[in-house]
Amino acid sequence: MARAAPLSIRFIRLIRLLAHLLRGLLIVTLRFPFADAKQQAAHVRSWSQQLLRILAIDVELRGALVGERALVVANHVSWLDIFVLDSVRALRFVSKSEVARWPLIGRLATAAGTLYIKRQSRHAVRGIIESAARALRDGNSVGIFPEGTTGDGDDVGQFHASLFAAALESGATIQPAAIAYLDENGVRAPHAVYSGDTTLLESMLRIIAARRTTAVLSFAAPIAPDAHTRRELATLSRAAVRDALMRV
């Protein structure tokens, strides 16, 4: 059983986390307006890497993110997933509209170019597909979590097919990615799971309390969208993510 970090360490992490969030607000307020897309991406990647260090999260990278632009499709375990992926390459994520209202993090996510979707709205889905396709055509990589919700990290739920249309419309490569969190003993880390009625604050405190966490990020072989329907792409991507996850 994994041991908890000493209270003194937890307190230091919490103070550093709050300071880092405020630093992020200063970056997006004072630097982003004068930075080009590459500079903004560099800020996002560096900030995400530092966030993970503060939370004592090591990223173990398996495989590689191929190409200059890709639709990155991943299983969804935690709010940490975004920063784990951003620590490798800054992505424009498709996320639920509620994230925009999260204290501090919502402001940072919006500044980083997050594409928000109102769930249960067909019109909103069509609009987000067009926005994601446009971002991909412009040379960005876009991240999606096709399960539509977080899971316990032990398996992969069904992938919704709708957002795969962005790859078909833009011709972008699809890059499956599996994310798994392990504790200091190398077993699945329940403290990293963000699901159910857990609040964002509760989730943060659980992660801060862990001595150390490893985020295993596994990139599977890319999938060309040619000659596939969006449902076929969803099925192929889920199989690739699930296979990579089972290898952790």
Side-chain angles (χ1 to χ4, degrees):
M1 184 176 181
R3 298 171 297 167
L7 285 174
S8 59
I9 297 298
R10 298 187 215 180
F11 180 75
I12 291 170
R13 286 178 184 169
L14 180 59
I15 296 301
R16 291 184 67 199
L17 173 61
L18 292 174
H20 191 58
L21 290 172
L22 292 174
R23 177 175 171 268
L25 287 177
L26 289 175
I27 289 172
V28 300
T29 302
L30 302 178
R31 294 188 181 181
F32 266 39
F34 309 101
D36 59 26
K38 286 188 176 181
Q39 291 171 328
Q40 290 182 357
H43 281 309
V44 169
R45 185 180 179 194
S46 175
W47 189 90
S48 298
Q49 291 171 341
Q50 181 61 23
L51 173 69
L52 297 176
R53 283 194 289 269
I54 289 170
L55 298 174
I57 297 174
D58 302 308
V59 178
E60 180 183 323
L61 187 60
R62 301 182 182 181
L65 180 50
V66 179
E68 292 298 319
R69 64 187 184 110
L71 181 68
V72 180
V73 298
N75 61 310
H76 203 9
V77 182
S78 171
W79 56 272
L80 289 170
D81 301 343
I82 290 173
F83 304 107
V84 170
L85 288 163
D86 269 343
S87 73
V88 176
R89 179 189 296 178
L91 307 176
R92 293 191 66 182
F93 285 93
V94 175
S95 183
K96 60 184 181 180
S97 57
E98 292 90 332
V99 170
R101 298 192 292 273
W102 285 0
L104 294 179
I105 287 181
R107 175 71 177 88
L108 296 174
T110 300
T114 298
L115 305 170
Y116 294 114
I117 182 171
K118 290 183 178 180
R119 292 182 289 187
Q120 314 301 328
S121 171
R122 290 186 179 181
H123 178 73
V125 170
R126 181 62 245 172
I128 211 70
I129 290 170
E130 293 174 356
S131 296
R134 188 181 310 115
L136 289 164
R137 284 193 294 267
D138 289 343
N140 298 282
S141 288
V142 174
I144 63 172
F145 301 107
E147 292 167 290
T149 186
T150 52
D152 60 11
D154 290 331
D155 205 346
V156 181
Q158 293 299 316
F159 276 10
H160 298 288
S162 56
L163 294 180
F164 285 85
L168 291 170
E169 294 181 12
S170 66
T173 298
I174 294 169
Q175 179 77 69
I179 303 173
Y181 296 93
L182 308 179
D183 66 18
E184 61 183 275
N185 298 319
V187 299
R188 290 281 197 265
H191 64 263
V193 175
Y194 178 53
S195 63
D197 296 327
T198 303
T199 66
L200 181 60
L201 178 59
E202 289 171 342
S203 177
M204 285 183 173
L205 292 177
R206 287 181 187 174
I207 292 164
I208 286 171
R211 282 183 177 267
R212 198 135 208 107
T213 307
T214 298
V216 182
L217 176 57
S218 305
F219 288 113
I223 301 171
D226 308 358
H228 290 294
T229 67
R230 64 184 186 180
R231 293 188 185 279
E232 290 170 342
L233 291 172
T235 299
L236 289 170
S237 298
R238 179 182 181 269
V241 171
R242 192 168 187 270
D243 180 65
L245 184 64
M246 295 301 112
R247 295 174 186 270
V248 177

